[in-house]
Each structure stands twice: as C-alpha cells, then as structure tokens.
C-alpha cells in the first residue's frame, strides 16, 4: 500500500540526490577546465534535471496537470535510457576519480535506481495516457535538434554514437532511430504498467 507521506518522502530524497549529482558535475567540470555550457548537451544531465524537477513537484504535492504528466514520463523514460545506455555503451570509457567519480555514480546509477524504484513502489498511479506518450517524444527530438547542430558548429558531441564528425550523419541517424524506438517502447510500456498497477485485483480502479 502506498501512502502520501511515503511518496513525498521518497521523491524528496530522489530530488535531493539528483540535484546533488548535478551540482557535483557542474563543480567537477568547472574545476577541471571543462566547458560547463557543454553539460546541457548530455542526455544524462537533462534527464536528471527532469527527475529533480518532477520529484520535487511530487514531494511538494504539486504533481498535477497535463504538462506534469508529460515531464513525469520524460523523466522516467529518460533516466531509464540514461542508466541502460551508460552501462551498455559508455561505462569504462573514461577514468574518473574524486568528485567526477561521485557525480558520475549519482547521475548514472543512484538517481536512476531511486527514481525507477520510486515509480514502481510509491508513485501516483493512473496518470499516464497515450497523449502523454506521444508528447513525451518531443524531449528526445528536442535534444537531437539542439545537440547535432551545435556539434556541427562547435565540434563537440556528448556521446560517441552521435559524433557525426567521426561516424557520418548516416550512421548517427541510424543510431538515433534505434534509440528513438527504444524510448518510444519504454514510454508505451510505462503507460501500460501504469494502467495495470492502477487497477484493483478485480480489474476495477
């Protein structure tokens, strides 16, 4: 059984964890002579921002409205993609220590686990719709619309699989299609399980 107090407490902790990881990453990047402006190109950073925002809204009891529902779904799917893609394609590419290692762990491991578990165990139920699923796709599209043109201008690409300079736009487009299909499948799956979990054992709400 979920309780409002448990839900608020869980997502308050999640918001703090996500924010801690984000602040740590900004400080680590700035102290390491990196470009802080590049951070917004990282899907990890954007997804953790969505997690921090939506978790804070749940913790404050302000989780309502169509816009929240879309952002909530984007946060969920985005942080799942972040965790999976990191483990499959990115873990071990860089040697990190100190604050950079701490930020990396918080953003790629702790926050995804906390948010997904929170969604499964304590989240509001029955809020996801097919309309929210389709609107949620604007997030990855907006990320690509920002990241690829900026990369063409500055030469900076946040991930090897979107590095058009090294792979060419054909391969990058194919990679983006696969990730987009994965994002869509996760969003649709989240909507399905949200509805299933909102039903009573006899099939009623």
């Amino acid at each position: 059984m979920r309780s409002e107090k448990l839900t608020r407490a869980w997502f308050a902790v999640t918001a703090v964890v996500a924010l801690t990881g984000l602040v740590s990453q900004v400080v680590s990047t700035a102290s390491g002579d990196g470009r802080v402006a590049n951070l917004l190109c990282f899907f990890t950073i954007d997804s953790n921002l969505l997690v921090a925002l939506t978790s804070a809204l749940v913790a404050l009891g302000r989780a309502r409205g169509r816009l929240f529902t879309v952002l909530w779904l984007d946060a969920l799917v985005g942080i799942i993609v972040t965790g999976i893609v990191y483990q499959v394609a990115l873990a071990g590419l860089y040697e990190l220590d100190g604050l950079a290692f701490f930020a990396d762990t918080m953003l790629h491991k702790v926050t995804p686990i906390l948010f997904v578990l929170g969604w499964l165990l304590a989240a509001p139920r029955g809020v996801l719709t097919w309309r929210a699923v389709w609107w949620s796709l604007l997030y990855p599209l907006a990320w690509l619309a920002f990241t690829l043109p900026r990369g063409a201008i500055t030469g900076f690409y946040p991930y090897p699989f979107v590095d058009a300079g090294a792979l060419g736009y054909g391969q990058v487009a194919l990679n983006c299609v696969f990730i987009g299909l994965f994002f869509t499948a996760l969003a649709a799956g989240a909507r399905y399980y949200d509805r299933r979990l909102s039903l009573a054992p006899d099939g009623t709400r």
Side-chain angles (χ1 to χ4, degrees):
M1 290 293 291
R2 296 184 307 277
S3 70
E4 185 176 355
K5 287 185 178 180
L6 171 62
T7 297
R8 289 193 178 196
W10 188 291
F11 285 101
V13 171
T14 303
V16 170
V17 168
L19 187 59
T20 300
L22 289 165
V23 172
S24 300
Q25 185 63 68
V26 170
V27 174
S28 173
T29 300
S31 62
D33 297 325
R35 293 189 61 185
V36 174
N38 285 341
L39 289 178
L40 287 177
C41 295
F42 286 90
F43 196 79
T44 294
I45 298 298
D46 300 333
S47 295
N48 273 270
L49 283 170
L50 285 171
V51 166
L53 172 62
T54 55
S55 294
L57 289 173
V58 172
L60 294 171
R62 303 182 66 86
R64 61 181 67 93
R66 291 180 179 177
L67 178 59
F68 169 80
T69 301
V70 174
L71 295 178
W72 176 248
L73 182 56
D74 277 329
L76 175 65
V77 178
I79 208 67
I80 292 174
V81 171
T82 292
I84 292 177
V85 172
Y86 175 80
Q87 293 299 326
V88 171
L90 302 174
L93 287 182
Y94 309 101
E95 292 187 9
L96 303 173
D97 55 25
L99 189 59
F101 177 78
F102 173 77
D104 184 78
T105 301
M106 297 291 277
L107 296 174
H108 290 110
K109 297 178 181 178
V110 181
T111 298
I113 290 172
L114 273 179
F115 193 74
V116 173
L117 281 178
W119 184 79
L120 289 172
L121 301 176
R125 289 284 166 249
V127 299
L128 299 182
T129 64
W130 282 118
R131 177 177 292 183
V133 170
W134 301 127
W135 277 109
S136 72
L137 300 181
L138 288 178
Y139 169 41
L141 291 175
W143 178 73
L144 289 172
F146 172 73
T147 301
L148 293 181
R150 186 179 185 276
I153 295 171
T154 65
F156 175 80
Y157 294 94
Y159 304 111
F161 53 83
V162 292
D163 188 343
L167 301 178
Y169 282 102
Q171 184 61 52
V172 168
L174 185 61
N175 293 342
C176 291
V177 167
F178 283 128
I179 294 175
L181 290 174
F182 184 45
F183 190 101
T184 304
L186 286 173
R191 188 264 177 192
Y192 172 77
Y193 281 105
D194 176 64
R195 292 293 171 174
R196 291 282 295 178
L197 292 172
S198 70
L199 296 177
D202 62 356
T204 61
R205 295 190 182 282

